[in-house]
Amino acid sequence: MEFSSKRNREILLTLQQKLRHEMKKISLKISCCSLCGNTCQHHPLLCQYCQADLPYFNYQHLPYDLLLWPAVTKLIPIKHFDHLLAIAPYVWPFNTWISQLKYQHKTELAELLTYLLIHHWQQYLSLEGTNLTLDNTRIVPVPLHLKKWQERGFNQADLIARKFAQNFGYLYQADLVVRKKLTESQVGKSGTERRKNLKQAFSLNINPKTSLPEHVILIDDVVTTGTTANEICKLLKKSGVQSITLLSLCLAIPN
C-alpha cells in the first residue's frame, strides 16, 4: 500500500508538471508583450527582445554584489546584511510594474518580476562562488503590517519570494519576521527619519527550540537606503544567522 501511494504521488506530480508545461505553451500563444505588443517566447508578458533591452545594471563593469560598488557603500553606509543583489535601478519599466502590482492589484506582474529575479539569481550563481545550499539557506520576505496586508490583499514581497523559493527548492518561511508596528510611509523621509520610523517595528516569530539557518535570503521589491533590511537583519544576526543576502528587484539610486 505504501509503495502504491508513493507511486500515485509520483504520477500526480508528473501530470501536474505536464499540465503546467502545456498551460504555459497555450499562454504564450495567446499572449503579447506588455511593452511592445509582440509575440512572447519565454514569458507571457515579456518578449525576448524587450527582456534583453531592460535597463539592467551593467555587470560587465559592476560586481553582482552591489555592496562592492563604492557608490552603494556611500548610499548605504550602515549595513547589517552581507550581500546586496538587485536586477536594475528603480526606473522604467520596473518602477511602473512595481507600482501597478502594489497599487493597481495587477498581481500577474508578480509572476513576471519573479521570472526576472530567478534569471538574475541563476546568473549570479553561475558566475560567483557561494556556500548557499538548500539545507543551510532560508528564503524570507520583507513583511507587511497585518492592517496594510488586509487593505492591499497581499504582500508583493511574499508573492515574489514564495515562487522564487519554489523554483530553486529553498525552504520558505513567510512568518519568520513579523511587522508589529504600523509605520508611516518611508517615501520622502531622510535616513535618520527612516530609522526612527522603523525603530522596533519588527520582531521574530521563532520557537526557542528552533534553530535558524546559517544563511537567509531576504527578498524585497525596492531597496532605497537599506533601513528596512537593516532593522530585520539586526534581529536575524542577534538570533544566530551567520550571513544574509538582500535580494531585491531594484535599487533606488538618487539622481
Side-chain angles (χ1 to χ4, degrees):
M1 291 294 293
E2 183 178 347
F3 173 79
S4 177
S5 177
K6 181 179 179 181
R7 178 58 180 163
N8 288 339
R9 288 197 300 271
E10 291 175 348
I11 293 172
L12 179 60
L13 181 60
T14 300
L15 289 174
Q16 288 174 336
Q17 291 173 340
K18 288 183 178 179
L19 179 61
R20 283 196 293 268
H21 180 68
E22 291 302 316
M23 290 296 292
K24 182 178 179 181
K25 287 169 61 178
I26 294 172
S27 179
L28 288 172
K29 287 182 180 179
I30 64 175
S31 65
C32 64
C33 179
S34 61
L35 297 181
C36 71
N38 287 329
T39 303
C40 298
Q41 295 78 23
H42 304 297
H43 192 280
L45 295 177
L46 188 67
C47 73
Q48 60 181 348
Y49 305 107
C50 287
Q51 182 176 346
D53 287 339
L54 289 175
Y56 305 108
F57 283 117
N58 187 346
Y59 290 107
Q60 292 183 342
H61 304 290
L62 296 176
Y64 264 84
D65 184 354
L66 294 174
L67 290 187
L68 300 176
W69 184 16
V72 172
T73 302
K74 184 178 180 180
L75 177 66
I76 310 176
I78 302 173
K79 299 173 285 293
H80 293 282
F81 43 91
D82 304 276
H83 308 283
L84 170 60
L85 277 76
I87 301 174
Y90 188 55
V91 296
W92 188 88
F94 286 97
N95 55 359
T96 299
W97 284 336
I98 292 171
S99 178
Q100 289 174 338
L101 167 61
K102 293 166 66 173
Y103 306 117
Q104 298 179 28
H105 295 262
K106 293 187 176 182
T107 52
E108 68 275 12
L109 290 171
E111 295 271 359
L112 171 60
L113 294 168
T114 305
Y115 164 76
L116 294 172
L117 195 66
I118 288 170
H119 182 68
H120 184 68
W121 185 251
Q122 288 172 334
Q123 288 181 316
Y124 170 68
L125 293 180
S126 67
L127 294 173
E128 303 289 338
T130 175
N131 59 348
L132 303 181
T133 68
L134 299 183
D135 295 326
N136 68 11
T137 306
R138 197 168 301 175
I139 306 296
V140 176
V142 169
L144 278 182
H145 188 273
L146 179 60
K147 183 177 180 180
K148 187 170 287 187
W149 192 317
Q150 290 172 335
E151 291 174 351
R152 186 174 295 173
F154 58 89
N155 173 8
Q156 68 281 356
D158 170 69
L159 295 180
I160 294 166
R162 189 179 298 273
K163 291 187 176 297
F164 178 90
Q166 289 174 350
N167 183 83
F168 291 100
Y170 292 120
L171 182 63
Y172 182 62
Q173 191 166 354
D175 60 350
L176 177 59
V177 183
V178 178
R179 194 163 194 149
K180 61 181 182 178
K181 177 183 174 184
L182 183 59
T183 57
E184 299 174 3
S185 172
Q186 296 282 75
V187 177
K189 293 185 181 296
S190 66
T192 301
E193 291 171 334
R194 286 170 179 262
R195 288 189 289 274
K196 183 178 180 180
N197 189 38
L198 288 172
K199 187 176 182 180
Q200 297 182 334
F202 302 98
S203 63
L204 297 186
N205 179 27
I206 55 176
N207 187 312
K209 297 181 180 179
T210 304
S211 60
L212 290 178
E214 293 179 48
H215 309 286
V216 162
I217 300 175
L218 181 65
I219 293 184
D220 202 2
D221 53 354
V222 182
V223 172
T224 303
T225 63
T227 306
T228 300
N230 272 325
E231 290 298 313
I232 294 171
C233 293
K234 281 193 291 186
L235 292 174
L236 292 172
K237 289 287 185 74
K238 286 180 180 178
S239 297
V241 175
Q242 295 180 17
S243 72
I244 301 171
T245 298
L246 177 55
L247 180 59
S248 176
L249 298 171
C250 295
L251 176 65
I253 300 175
N255 293 330

